[in-house]
Amino acid sequence: MQLAAKQHLVVFPGVEITCMGGITGIHIIALFDPACKQAHVEGLLASLGLRPEDHGKIETVVQKSPSDVIDAIVSKGGLPVLAHANSSNGAFCDMKGQQRIKLIRHPRLCAVEARDFANKELAARNKRVIDLLDGADPEYETHLAVYQASDNPAAEGSGKHGLAGIGSRCAYFKMDAVTLAGLEQAFNDPIVRIRQDFEYKTYEYPRISRLRVVGAFLDGLDVQLHDGLTSILGAKGSGKSLLVEFLRFVLDQPSSNTGIRQDHEAKLEARLEEFGTVAVDFRDETGRELSVRRTYGSGDMGGYDEDSPEEVARLFPVLFLSQNEIIRIAENEEEQIQFIDRFFDFRTYISEIATLEGGLGREDRALAESLRSYTAVQELEQALKLQKRETLKLDSALKNEVFENFRLAEIKRRAFQEQISFIENRIEILESLGREVLSNDDPLLPDSVETDPALKRTHAILKTGRASLKEKIEDLIDEVRNNRDQIETEFKRWLPKYRDVKIAYKKIVQETGGDYKALASSRAKLIKKQDGILLKLREAKSHTASIKQIVGRRNGLLDKLTAVYAKYTEERRAKCRLFEKESNGHLRVSIRSGTNKDAFRQQLRALKKGSRLRDSDIDRLCDKIAPTEFVNALIRFALSHKVKYYAQVAEGTGIDKERLGVLFQFLLDSFDYERLLKMQYTAIPTDRPEIAYKVGGDNYEFLSRLSTGQKCTALLMMALSDGTMPVVIDQPEDSLDIRSVWEDMCLKVRGGKEKRQFIFTTHNSSLAVAGDTDKFLILEATADTGSVVYSGSMDEGPVSEEVLKYLEGGPDTYRLKYRKYSAERILARRTSKRGKENM
């Protein structure tokens, strides 16, 4: 059988034995390692008193009790299993009372085979075999592995066996290699290692599959990482933490904490060195296999290979926590909010915010230019009044009919030119309006409703209206241009008269000479200066004409930015609700929207230096008013110089009006409009997290009041909550007590590693062994180099021995601890107590 199956299957040598017990005997299966020969099975049967001629006969019954048979199987290196326990010759069918209880409680019994998993009536009463052997039943007080097998039925109802029935029912066993040791490990921890065929599911989730290093301390390292839990063991200095830092490096996801990031850079510099490379193979959430390779180096000497995918951090996010990073996060609110952001695609919001801020920056420049033009208009109009007064003075000194005619002609000429400039300005405004109104395309219909009749009709109305609007604007521009042409015609018709008057004027100036000529020259200069002021005034007014449009566009962008921040906050809240749910009542996590005003405070404190305003006034100002309102008041004051604008702020904040007026004037004198306007969106109040941990009863304490261990426990519970992104943590057990490691980490990992990848460096046996590590990487190092010396699961002898050495100090130490704990007595007492509580 083994020879025939070796290409595709593994056959475990074994035998099903009928022994004394029950009505007509109890069936027990003995399984041996695939490397065993027929002689092993025959040796077991001989030890049970069976002669060769009795082998294979249905009527053969071993004249020993089930307990004796179990002991004999174990003494020969096999695994004893109760066969088809809920059918004939099964322990739960043909045995009753203490006889069955004693058999089930046998300490060497490995597993039970059952066929009643699909029995709904028994399931409703918790009376299936698997329900009775889950450790909670008061009669059996034991937790045994239960699995289903086909028992190879020949035909429905025949009661016989046959080849056709193989595989009609089956179970899945999680093993690193198909060996007896692997099977035993599955029997030892069936909750995570055995699935019936109807329970078994596969999940597609992102995972890191391979890590390769070339250069420096871990040169030549090439390891496969398990889809479930990989635990990295080794002595201090063996390179465990380096594996985490190298993964962070190649996947471009350094810590946001300055200290942790600096330590990361120092490790890369010391242990990867210039031109050292790290390569990673991974699968994204769609199952696509990708590779990325990155070289370490300063300046242009480092970087990604050309074949590496772009934006690897966005493409393949991983929850990284370097050593002690969880403690740093627990101590800082800003780090906590960034920690929460790691659990969803916050980069979408960051991208939207950056786009909107870019648009606001462009509008800031346009608005600042318009605001400066508004101020310039006021100054130019005042200068023009002064020029006109001076001209009138000279006019009175130059009383002459010819000159008077020329003065009036000049006034008329300027009036013509002002009219022409005025209408040219209106044409520019109309053309600008046309470009703005018609610049955007009509909104497209979403694919899902593009055939909807009502929407198609309204879309047609939009297109018709757009065409009509374009036509009307063009007609209006043509009409205004026609008006301009008529005015220019009138102006040209009058120009010959103006030239005659001007010639007469020049002649008088030449004839009179002297003072009259000097006065006329001065007047000509004044007129020329007036013309220059009028030109600047016209340009300034052209800029100020678009203030309302710019403000409207800018307010629209600010509203969109506010909406994005609101969506960002809501997604954070949704994630916090998930944290609470996943913590089973141990955590309360919430978001206080827009309560962190540190950015506004820091910017104002930086800007006000030199204003002599106290920091306490800045704090009060930031607590009472939003950046948008403050900047709006500042701009209104700049344009009007009315005290009421800062007086209103003073009244609302309780700050002395005179001191606030000093601040307003100081900011306007010291900074340009662009810098002040930018505060409206770069100093927006941000969210604050509130994380509370259950310390007993119904009492919760905020992180700031917790011990370091409690803080770390709370954040690790969040880190291990539901999700699909890989989790890579360097010594997660640091600062946790052993009970927290089991309750808050191991149980999460055990239940989650079928649909999420975990990679830990650890010194904790509860996490690594009780957490059911799928693959161990055991590192050793000299002064110059580190390497993986063992890789595999505890199914394999050398690996389990190394795990015992690194996590328990070796077999002698573990045996001594086990004896000193009086572990057998404690476990027996606990089992008995649990049984009584359930009765």
Side-chain angles (χ1 to χ4, degrees), residues 43-158:
L44 168 65
L45 297 178
S47 71
L48 294 172
L50 289 186
R51 295 170 301 178
E53 56 267 28
D54 296 324
H55 295 178
K57 295 179 180 179
I58 292 177
E59 64 273 14
T60 300
V61 178
V62 171
Q63 300 303 303
K64 292 183 180 294
S65 70
S67 294
D68 291 339
V69 172
I70 289 172
D71 291 335
I73 293 170
V74 173
S75 69
K76 295 295 183 180
L79 298 179
V81 177
L82 294 182
H84 44 79
N86 60 307
S87 63
S88 59
N89 298 110
F92 282 87
C93 182
D94 286 357
M95 296 183 79
K96 306 290 182 184
Q98 289 299 317
Q99 186 186 27
R100 182 167 68 189
I101 292 171
K102 182 180 178 182
L103 173 59
I104 297 300
R105 288 184 181 179
H106 194 295
R108 291 181 167 182
L109 179 63
C110 290
V112 176
E113 180 188 290
R115 298 190 297 182
D116 61 350
F117 287 93
N119 191 315
K120 295 181 180 179
E121 188 271 328
L122 291 177
R125 296 188 292 116
N126 287 324
K127 292 298 182 181
R128 296 173 303 171
V129 174
I130 195 169
D131 302 321
L132 297 172
L133 300 184
D134 64 358
D137 188 275
E139 281 192 353
Y140 303 109
E141 300 177 354
T142 188
H143 188 189
L144 274 173
V146 182
Y147 68 93
Q148 70 174 7
S150 67
D151 205 28
N152 313 335
E156 188 68 32
S158 70

Side-chain angles (χ1 to χ4, degrees), residues 423-492:
I423 205 161
E424 286 281 1
N425 179 251
R426 291 304 176 268
I427 291 171
E428 288 179 10
I429 292 173
L430 285 172
E431 289 175 339
S432 174
L433 177 63
R435 286 192 298 272
E436 185 166 344
V437 169
L438 303 172
S439 61
N440 295 321
D441 293 333
D442 298 328
L444 295 175
L445 291 177
D447 292 343
S448 58
V449 293
E450 65 178 353
T451 60
D452 183 275
L455 288 174
K456 289 176 75 174
R457 287 194 295 271
T458 54
H459 191 262
I461 291 169
L462 280 178
K463 293 184 74 172
T464 303
R466 178 184 176 86
S468 175
L469 183 59
K470 179 180 179 183
E471 183 179 345
K472 288 176 181 177
I473 291 175
E474 289 174 350
D475 290 345
L476 189 57
I477 291 171
D478 289 341
E479 183 180 342
V480 177
R481 283 176 176 161
N482 184 50
N483 293 339
R484 179 198 60 192
D485 294 343
Q486 291 177 26
I487 294 171
E488 287 182 340
T489 300
E490 287 289 342
F491 181 48
K492 291 175 181 177

Side-chain angles (χ1 to χ4, degrees), residues 19 41 75 132 199 341 465 520 545 549 586 591 617 649 750 801:
C19 59
V41 179
S75 69
L132 297 172
E199 297 175 322
D341 282 356
Q549 295 173 355
H586 286 87
I591 295 294
D617 289 332
V649 176
R750 284 168 61 85
E801 291 172 12

Side-chain angles (χ1 to χ4, degrees), residues 669-775:
D669 291 341
S670 305
F671 303 98
D672 56 33
Y673 286 126
E674 288 91 338
R675 180 67 184 86
L676 299 174
L677 289 167
K678 191 175 183 180
M679 249 196 315
Q680 288 188 314
Y681 51 91
T682 59
I684 291 177
T686 55
D687 296 339
R688 285 187 186 277
E690 283 191 341
I691 303 171
Y693 178 68
K694 193 173 187 178
V695 294
D698 293 327
N699 298 319
Y700 290 81
E701 289 287 356
F702 290 115
L703 283 189
S704 58
R705 298 183 180 181
L706 296 175
S707 67
T708 300
Q710 289 172 319
K711 289 176 181 177
C712 293
T713 299
L715 291 178
L716 280 170
M717 289 173 73
M718 293 166 63
L720 300 177
S721 63
D722 191 33
T724 59
M725 81 170 91
V727 177
V728 182
I729 308 180
D730 191 359
Q731 293 184 202
E733 72 273 11
D734 283 0
S735 302
L736 300 187
D737 60 67
I738 294 297
R739 187 174 60 181
S740 291
V741 171
W742 170 251
E743 293 178 352
D744 301 323
M745 288 201 65
C746 292
L747 292 179
K748 284 282 188 183
V749 172
R750 284 168 61 85
K753 65 192 182 73
E754 288 185 2
K755 48 188 175 182
R756 191 178 195 183
Q757 184 182 42
F758 298 92
I759 301 170
F760 299 147
T761 74
T762 184
H763 295 289
N764 186 279
S765 59
S766 294
L767 181 59
V769 180
D772 191 47
T773 293
D774 298 292
K775 185 168 207 171

Side-chain angles (χ1 to χ4, degrees), residues 579-596:
F579 291 145
E580 289 187 346
K581 179 182 176 182
E582 291 287 319
S583 75
N584 294 320
H586 286 87
L587 293 179
R588 286 181 179 169
V589 190
S590 60
I591 295 294
R592 293 170 58 203
S593 173
T595 55
N596 185 349

Side-chain angles (χ1 to χ4, degrees), residues 272-563:
L272 188 55
E273 301 179 0
E274 296 281 355
F275 301 111
T277 63
V278 182
V280 159
D281 298 340
F282 61 90
R283 293 178 65 179
D284 68 13
E285 58 190 4
T286 68
R288 181 176 50 160
E289 296 186 355
L290 298 164
S291 294
V292 60
R293 186 172 184 270
R294 188 179 185 186
T295 301
Y296 179 75
S298 55
D300 297 331
M301 291 188 290
Y304 287 97
D305 281 9
E306 291 182 2
D307 294 337
S308 296
E310 295 181 1
E311 295 188 317
V312 64
R314 185 182 182 88
L315 175 68
F316 190 73
V318 176
L319 179 61
F320 281 107
L321 288 171
S322 295
Q323 195 169 357
N324 298 321
E325 185 171 359
I326 200 80
I327 299 174
R328 304 286 181 90
I329 294 171
E331 294 170 347
N332 184 285
E333 276 190 352
E334 186 61 30
E335 294 282 346
Q336 290 162 26
I337 203 73
Q338 292 182 26
F339 181 67
I340 291 170
D341 282 356
R342 294 196 210 178
F343 294 89
F344 60 92
D345 188 9
F346 69 93
R347 294 178 182 86
T348 300
Y349 298 104
I350 298 300
S351 177
E352 287 186 63
I353 290 168
T355 299
L356 290 168
E357 286 183 350
L360 282 164
R362 291 188 291 274
E363 296 297 345
D364 284 353
R365 291 188 287 275
L367 182 56
E369 185 62 33
S370 294
L371 293 173
R372 283 190 283 268
S373 295
Y374 185 88
T375 304
V377 165
Q378 296 173 315
E379 294 172 352
L380 289 168
E381 286 178 341
Q382 187 63 31
L384 189 60
K385 286 180 182 178
L386 293 174
Q387 293 295 315
K388 286 181 177 179
R389 281 198 208 105
E390 291 297 321
T391 303
L392 287 173
K393 288 180 184 178
L394 289 173
D395 287 348
S396 62
L398 293 167
K399 287 185 179 179
N400 181 289
E401 185 178 356
V402 173
F403 188 78
E404 180 66 16
N405 290 339
F406 180 66
R407 185 181 71 82
L408 294 174
E410 279 289 300
I411 292 172
K412 189 172 181 178
R413 178 185 65 82
R414 285 199 300 275
F416 269 122
Q417 290 176 334
E418 285 180 5
Q419 288 178 349
I420 292 169
S421 296
F422 175 81
I423 205 161
E424 286 281 1
N425 179 251
R426 291 304 176 268
I427 291 171
E428 288 179 10
I429 292 173
L430 285 172
E431 289 175 339
S432 174
L433 177 63
R435 286 192 298 272
E436 185 166 344
V437 169
L438 303 172
S439 61
N440 295 321
D441 293 333
D442 298 328
L444 295 175
L445 291 177
D447 292 343
S448 58
V449 293
E450 65 178 353
T451 60
D452 183 275
L455 288 174
K456 289 176 75 174
R457 287 194 295 271
T458 54
H459 191 262
I461 291 169
L462 280 178
K463 293 184 74 172
T464 303
R466 178 184 176 86
S468 175
L469 183 59
K470 179 180 179 183
E471 183 179 345
K472 288 176 181 177
I473 291 175
E474 289 174 350
D475 290 345
L476 189 57
I477 291 171
D478 289 341
E479 183 180 342
V480 177
R481 283 176 176 161
N482 184 50
N483 293 339
R484 179 198 60 192
D485 294 343
Q486 291 177 26
I487 294 171
E488 287 182 340
T489 300
E490 287 289 342
F491 181 48
K492 291 175 181 177
R493 186 182 300 154
W494 173 78
L495 270 179
K497 293 181 181 179
Y498 170 75
R499 294 191 189 99
D500 293 341
V501 172
K502 189 173 182 179
I503 290 170
Y505 164 75
K506 287 183 176 180
K507 183 178 179 182
I508 290 293
V509 170
Q510 290 173 354
E511 290 175 354
T512 55
D515 293 337
Y516 196 90
K517 184 177 180 180
L519 289 172
S521 176
S522 297
R523 186 183 181 284
K525 289 178 181 178
L526 281 175
I527 295 298
K528 186 175 181 180
K529 199 169 185 179
Q530 283 183 46
D531 289 342
I533 292 172
L534 281 169
L535 180 62
K536 290 180 180 178
L537 186 60
R538 184 168 63 252
E539 291 175 352
K541 283 185 175 180
S542 175
H543 284 298
T544 59
S546 58
I547 283 182
K548 286 186 178 180
Q549 295 173 355
I550 297 170
V551 169
R553 292 197 303 267
R554 194 171 177 279
N555 287 340
L557 290 174
L558 286 172
D559 289 343
K560 288 181 180 178
L561 189 63
T562 301

